[in-house]
């Protein structure tokens, strides 16, 4: 849990535009301004652990997040580790959330016929960083008369 409440809190990662990921956290409740955090991660068991190369910083210069590019997560077993510089402790992050903001469906086409007063709407599933089954998606169509 870090030394005397200095461990990070509310660790969340958001994947967007298929391969970009921002991870953010709150500084520990009792962390001093000279406490620094270093994020390491491994997207799968097959890959090596790497440190963040693009930190997000607060007004005190402490790392409060990281921006990643070219992210792929093959399964649900991503591994995150934070090193806290003041105590030198490695803090394994076991309680985290990964959210993916999806792109819109691809190749949307609409074909309407006047005679039958019907329309056919087709699309392809959005691109994602890790979901491979199109059956995982549910869609809602909102039709507006203009």
């Amino acid at each position: 849990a870090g030394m005397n409440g200095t461990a990070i809190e509310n660790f969340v990662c958001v994947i967007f535009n298929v391969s970009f990921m921002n991870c953010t956290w709150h500084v520990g409740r009792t962390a001093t301004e000279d406490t620094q955090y270093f994020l390491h991660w491994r997207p799968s068991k097959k890959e090596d652990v790497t440190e963040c190369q693009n930190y997000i910083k607060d007004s005190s210069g402490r790392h409060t997040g990281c921006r990643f590019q070219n992210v792929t997560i093959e399964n649900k077993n991503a591994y995150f580790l934070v090193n806290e510089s003041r105590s030198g402790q490695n803090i394994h992050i076991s309680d985290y959330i990964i959210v993916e903001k999806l792109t819109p469906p691809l190749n949307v086409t609409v074909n309407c016929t006047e005679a039958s007063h019907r329309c056919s709407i087709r699309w392809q599933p959005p691109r994602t960083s890790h979901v491979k089954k199109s059956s995982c998606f549910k869609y809602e169509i909102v039709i507006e008369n203009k």
Side-chain angles (χ1 to χ4, degrees):
M3 186 179 200
N4 301 325
T6 59
I8 64 171
E9 300 174 350
N10 301 325
F11 185 83
V12 176
C13 295
V14 177
I15 299 171
F16 60 97
N17 290 344
V18 182
S19 64
F20 296 95
M21 180 171 73
N22 285 352
C23 295
T24 58
W25 58 83
H26 294 133
V27 170
R29 292 181 305 274
T30 61
T32 59
E33 286 194 17
D34 63 342
T35 300
Q36 189 58 280
Y37 302 95
F38 300 94
L39 176 64
H40 303 265
W41 92 299
R42 181 176 66 197
S44 72
K45 290 182 180 180
K46 300 175 195 171
E47 298 183 49
D48 293 330
V49 175
T50 59
E51 183 183 343
C52 172
Q53 298 298 308
N54 189 6
Y55 283 106
I56 300 166
K57 298 179 182 182
D58 67 8
S59 60
S60 299
R62 292 179 293 196
H63 300 158
T64 57
C66 181
R67 294 182 182 96
F68 294 98
Q69 296 181 15
N70 303 320
V71 170
T72 55
I73 298 176
E74 293 180 16
N75 54 40
K76 297 178 184 175
N77 295 323
Y79 170 82
F80 296 95
L81 174 77
V82 170
N83 177 273
E84 182 213 313
S85 67
R86 192 151 202 273
S87 71
Q89 288 187 319
N90 285 332
I91 304 161
H92 173 69
I93 308 295
S94 58
D95 186 21
Y96 61 85
I97 298 171
I98 297 179
V99 175
E100 182 165 8
K101 291 186 176 182
L102 298 175
T103 61
L106 303 170
N107 300 324
V108 178
T109 60
V110 179
N111 293 314
C112 297
T113 57
E114 274 190 52
S116 66
H117 300 290
R118 292 182 183 220
C119 291
S120 170
I121 305 171
R122 297 183 190 274
W123 60 87
Q124 293 174 333
R127 292 179 41 224
T128 71
S129 67
H130 66 287
V131 177
K132 304 296 182 217
K133 296 179 182 177
S134 60
S135 61
C136 291
F137 296 100
K138 293 189 180 206
Y139 301 93
E140 180 178 320
I141 298 174
V142 177
I143 300 173
E144 297 177 2
N145 288 332
K146 292 192 175 191

